Amino acid sequence: MNLTEAYAKEIEAVFAEAAEEIGRFPAPFDEKGQALLEAANPLRANAGTNLITFLLPFWLKESASADEGLCKDLAVGNVFAMLQFFLLDDVMDEGDRLGRAKVTEALVLGQWLQDSFQRYYGRRFGTEAPLWPYYREYLAAWATAVSREGASPADPRDPSGLAGKSALVKLCAAGMLSMAGREDRLPVLEEALDLVLATLQLSDDWADWREDLADENRNAFLTLAREKLAWPEGQPLDERAVKRAVYQADAVGELAGIVRTYGERLRELEGVPGVLLIFCDKIYEGLRRDAEEAEETVVRLALGGGLSYILSKKEK
């Protein structure tokens, strides 16, 4: 199943409403917000990995006995939260390079997005609703994960740690279950979502390893590459070493194996919506294909005497 195609109608409606809301931002934040929104729309750009952020309310609709309007409001609110955290990540990662004017612009736009998130969730949950303690809990988990990022190597086998930066994705689940009187189901669903978000983070780390080489502790795939190579402690990895891990030490195969284990754990949990299993399976299949392609490339180049070329030149 192609989840983007399967939920195209919902995505179109959610992003159309978000665009209408952003259109009411003051200039120039209306145009800048629209550009950011367009780049995150999987129907317009290659942004499929963020599907869970704004489709999760629809994926939980049956298990939470929710109506379509609730799902849409929470999905639109999630889009605003997602965009705000995109901007925060950019400022934290690239603030020195962006310069004062760009940082100011990002923070101001982020404040407008935060206000929109609060208003869309506020349509369904009053100030005293049981949702908001969960919001503070998830925000604290995000803050802890961000503040500790890079202090020690990211652990590819720690799903709750990997999911920390995405903790607020779970907020709609807490809200929907509390509204349905099913908060007793939340611990299991939180565990399931940690496994799903960890799977997504591992996939992102594999895709981003080159960008993360300068701060390799942030990237769980690089932790795995160092492990597979038995790389000396204190010696930074370089691109050639990581390619050795990919093409000679089956690091991507190991990564796919960890993701498969997360999927197996997910299946053992009671009442997990089937679409979450599909989402994880899609990520696993992509990693497995990448591992197979790496193995096939090594065999082909070794037969042709070109293995040294791939280690020094070939791009992922």
Side-chain angles (χ1 to χ4, degrees):
M1 177 192 294
N2 183 311
L3 292 175
T4 301
E5 293 177 0
Y7 287 88
K9 176 182 169 185
E10 289 84 353
I11 295 170
E12 192 71 62
V14 165
F15 275 78
E17 185 155 340
E20 185 177 341
E21 172 74 9
I22 289 174
R24 291 189 280 268
F25 289 4
F29 302 105
D30 53 349
E31 290 187 8
K32 295 183 182 300
Q34 295 286 10
L36 190 64
L37 179 69
E38 189 75 2
N41 187 338
L43 300 179
R44 311 281 185 267
N46 184 22
T49 59
N50 295 312
L51 286 175
I52 189 173
T53 304
F54 43 83
L55 286 182
L56 184 58
F58 297 104
W59 294 353
L60 299 177
K61 180 180 177 182
E62 290 185 11
S63 58
S65 302
D67 62 69
E68 191 75 12
L70 173 64
C71 294
K72 185 179 178 183
D73 279 347
L74 298 186
V76 176
N78 284 3
V79 167
F80 293 128
M82 174 185 72
L83 297 180
Q84 182 201 11
F85 281 94
F86 280 173
L87 292 172
L88 280 175
D89 283 345
D90 282 347
V91 168
M92 289 186 290
D93 293 344
E94 304 288 343
D96 292 341
R97 183 185 62 80
L98 292 173
R100 180 182 175 85
K102 291 289 187 183
V103 167
T104 300
E105 179 183 280
L107 293 177
V108 173
L109 177 54
Q111 191 60 42
W112 281 103
L113 293 165
Q114 168 68 13
D115 178 71
S116 295
F117 156 75
Q118 292 277 1
R119 287 196 298 106
Y120 268 84
Y121 266 72
R123 289 180 176 184
R124 301 289 178 160
F125 302 98
T127 56
E128 300 302 318
L131 170 86
W132 299 113
Y134 289 112
Y135 173 71
R136 290 187 286 274
E137 176 187 332
Y138 299 146
L139 187 63
W142 168 83
T144 298
V146 168
S147 63
R148 293 178 178 174
E149 189 177 36
S152 58
D155 184 354
R157 299 176 181 87
D158 175 19
S160 62
L162 292 169
K165 284 184 66 176
S166 303
L168 279 161
V169 171
K170 295 182 281 192
L171 183 64
C172 66
M176 294 171 76
L177 290 179
S178 66
M179 186 171 283
R182 296 297 312 276
E183 283 183 83
D184 60 302
R185 287 287 305 154
L186 186 56
V188 172
L189 188 52
E190 286 181 319
E191 183 179 354
L193 290 172
D194 277 349
L195 290 166
V196 175
L197 293 169
T199 294
L200 180 56
Q201 185 61 56
L202 289 177
S203 176
D204 287 347
D205 284 355
W206 159 233
D208 297 339
W209 67 263
R210 283 184 179 82
E211 291 82 352
D212 292 340
L213 266 176
D215 190 5
E216 66 175 78
N217 280 352
R218 300 175 52 182
N219 188 301
F221 174 70
L222 292 177
T223 300
L224 199 60
R226 176 178 285 275
E227 175 186 304
K228 297 293 287 183
L229 293 169
W231 201 250
E233 185 177 350
Q235 180 177 333
L237 286 167
D238 56 26
E239 188 165 337
R240 183 180 175 89
V242 178
K243 288 176 180 176
R244 280 178 51 208
V246 171
Y247 295 106
Q248 292 183 301
D250 192 30
V252 188
E254 183 77 15
L255 189 73
I258 293 172
V259 166
R260 183 184 66 247
T261 299
Y262 286 172
E264 291 168 351
R265 289 170 61 180
L266 190 63
R267 281 177 167 79
E268 293 172 356
L269 298 175
E270 182 182 354
V272 174
V275 69
L276 290 178
L277 301 175
I278 294 171
F279 185 72
C280 277
D281 285 345
K282 291 290 184 183
I283 295 173
Y284 166 67
E285 289 166 7
L287 290 172
R288 182 176 52 79
R289 282 195 301 271
D290 287 348
E292 290 172 352
E293 287 175 7
E295 184 178 358
E296 290 167 2
T297 299
V298 168
V299 170
R300 184 171 64 253
L301 289 178
L303 290 173
L307 185 57
S308 61
Y309 174 84
I310 191 174
L311 293 177
S312 60
K313 300 292 183 184
K314 184 174 175 61
E315 297 295 322
K316 176 191 155 202

